[in-house]
Amino acid sequence: QVMDAVPEALRPVVRAALERAASPLRVDEIAGVIGVHRKTLWSLCRRHGARSAQEMLTWCRLLAVSDALRMSAGPMDRGGT
């Protein structure tokens, strides 16, 4: 479970980002969803190990894409070996 690896203070950020990962993620939008100012979101992310809020949102989007690919893909064809 991904959330087990996320600091508790960042879980609302990750949840909000994953729920909206199908569209471009904006820091100000996610900040509004979790009820903080965008500067507060940046500080929160930095305090808990991310270099920036945008980096955190990018990782969330990559995680969502990876999960979607894993769920939709069948066994990989190894080319007849």
Side-chain angles (χ1 to χ4, degrees), residues 30-49:
I30 298 300
V33 168
I34 66 168
V36 300
H37 190 275
R38 71 185 302 275
K39 287 184 179 182
T40 303
L41 178 56
W42 276 81
S43 296
L44 181 68
C45 289
R46 289 193 55 121
R47 188 169 42 246
H48 292 282

Side-chain angles (χ1 to χ4, degrees), residues 9-43:
L10 292 178
R11 288 178 186 174
V13 177
V14 172
R15 263 189 229 101
L18 290 175
E19 289 170 0
R20 291 159 182 79
S23 61
L25 297 173
R26 294 186 355 252
V27 173
D28 58 337
E29 176 189 355
I30 298 300
V33 168
I34 66 168
V36 300
H37 190 275
R38 71 185 302 275
K39 287 184 179 182
T40 303
L41 178 56
W42 276 81
S43 296

Side-chain angles (χ1 to χ4, degrees), residues 48-69:
H48 292 282
R51 288 187 296 214
S52 71
Q54 189 60 55
E55 178 184 78
M56 177 64 94
L57 299 184
T58 299
W59 278 109
C60 288
R61 188 132 193 228
L62 288 170
L63 179 62
V65 168
S66 172
D67 193 48
L69 286 171

